[in-house]
Amino acid sequence: MSQPRYSTVPAHVAIIMDGNGRWANGRGLPRTMGHRKGVEAVREAVRTAGESGVKYLTLFAFSSENWRRPESEVSDLMGLLKSFVRRDLETLHRENVRVKVIGDRANLRSDVLPLLLEAEERTRANTAITLVIAFNYGARDEIARAMRSIAGDVAAGVLHPADITPERISARLDTAGIPDPDLIIRTSGEERLSNFLLWQAAYAELMFIPDFWPDFSRQTFLAALENYASRERRFGGLSERPLAVGS
Ligand code: FPP
């Protein structure tokens, strides 16, 4: 298969995978079938990102607000994540994909956390692309945890308030060491960030795509990358110029 490379490939693409339920409803299927089909779209997105030269792909798999869904749907989503890690970890590893998980790890179910840790550990040294799975993730929660950590250092006298800079805040977030997303895509036609990467989205290009997530194909992804390449980014200045840190 040819490897399309656009003149300006985003280093980091983050996706809000929305519309699984509506995809299923429209076909008279249970919502869970939408999530199942969504996992296939995840596989294709990881492959397409890697082939296109994207270095980081962040997927919003489960938000800290998703616990409010019915118990059966929550347990279905947990099951799908677990089976994705169990079934796909070796393939991801073979394809040189590094897995990183962001989100609150405290109080995660004992059948989920070890799998996520194993995926991170097994793929730690891989270099082709980093797949960032946002799980039990909420941006305000992430920022609050970072602030608590900084406040702890200030209280202990090891950090002066004057030294709290945007770079130091970035370094305390779950995404420390990961460049800010260049492109954030949301599927299903909704036009919101829904508590996703709020700090990191400062200069991201936003793209809202009408397709439901299970229909997000290789072609849709490539069209999004082409659209991105045609955009001019200014970072608050007058010409396109990537910022040095976390741009
Ligand atoms: C949004 O659709 C989607 C989710 C809440 C979960 C996304 C999860 C997956 C695609 C599967 C597991 C993920 C990985 C990384 C293996 P929705 O249910 O909110 O759809 P709706 O808005 O149409 O109801």
Side-chain angles (χ1 to χ4, degrees), residues 17-23 31 34-35 38-39 42 59-62 66 69 73 77 80-81 84 133 188 212-213:
M17 310 182 285
D18 197 9
N20 293 348
R22 278 165 285 166
W23 182 92
R31 291 176 58 82
H35 296 314
V39 177
V42 164
L59 299 177
F60 204 177
F62 193 88
N66 284 154
R69 294 191 176 203
E73 183 165 344
L77 283 166
L80 281 177
L81 184 83
F84 173 75
I133 301 177
S188 92
F212 295 138
W213 174 251

Side-chain angles (χ1 to χ4, degrees), residues 14 131 160 168 192 201:
L131 169 62
H160 193 275
R168 282 214 161 90
R192 305 185 279 282

